Amino acid sequence: MSLFKYYLVNAVQNNRSEKITEFFEKMTPELQNQNEWKDWFVLPFIKNPDETPAFSIYFTRQWQETFLISLHNFLSVIFQSMAVPAILNY
């Protein structure tokens, strides 16, 4: 879920409103029944979401850096746990 939120925050910061709309068109069926996402459906209609209490934490540098470090660590563990592809043994 944090990856989705990071995607939306990044789209807002880069003025890519079409990506936000596209995201909600594709993901609404999966997210609409989750309480965690009820506030996020108004994101495309808010002028300054970084100043809105519900979203301001996600626009902080600390949250974004913490998320990226966590994602990096997660992917590192996954890749270290995977078996080496047979083609690399040659």
Side-chain angles (χ1 to χ4, degrees):
M1 293 302 142
S2 292
L3 182 59
F4 291 154
K5 291 176 183 179
Y6 182 77
Y7 176 84
L8 291 171
V9 167
N10 193 23
V12 168
Q13 290 175 329
N14 291 299
N15 297 318
R16 301 293 307 266
S17 59
E18 73 280 358
K19 293 296 183 183
I20 297 169
T21 304
E22 180 182 312
F23 173 85
F24 283 114
E25 286 174 356
K26 290 182 179 180
M27 298 302 296
T28 295
E30 292 181 37
L31 301 175
Q32 68 185 357
N33 294 326
Q34 297 182 23
N35 287 333
E36 181 181 351
W37 281 91
K38 68 178 183 164
D39 293 336
W40 286 85
F41 287 102
V42 299
L43 184 67
F45 307 103
I46 298 176
K47 189 170 184 169
N48 296 318
D50 56 328
E51 297 173 2
T52 306
F55 303 115
S56 62
I57 186 81
Y58 301 102
F59 286 88
T60 63
R61 185 177 182 145
Q62 180 181 2
W63 184 86
Q64 293 175 12
E65 288 178 355
T66 301
F67 168 72
L68 288 175
I69 290 169
S70 296
L71 178 62
H72 180 269
N73 290 341
F74 172 75
L75 293 174
S76 294
V77 169
I78 295 297
F79 289 133
Q80 288 176 0
S81 301
M82 291 175 57
V84 176
I87 195 155
L88 291 179
N89 289 328
Y90 291 105

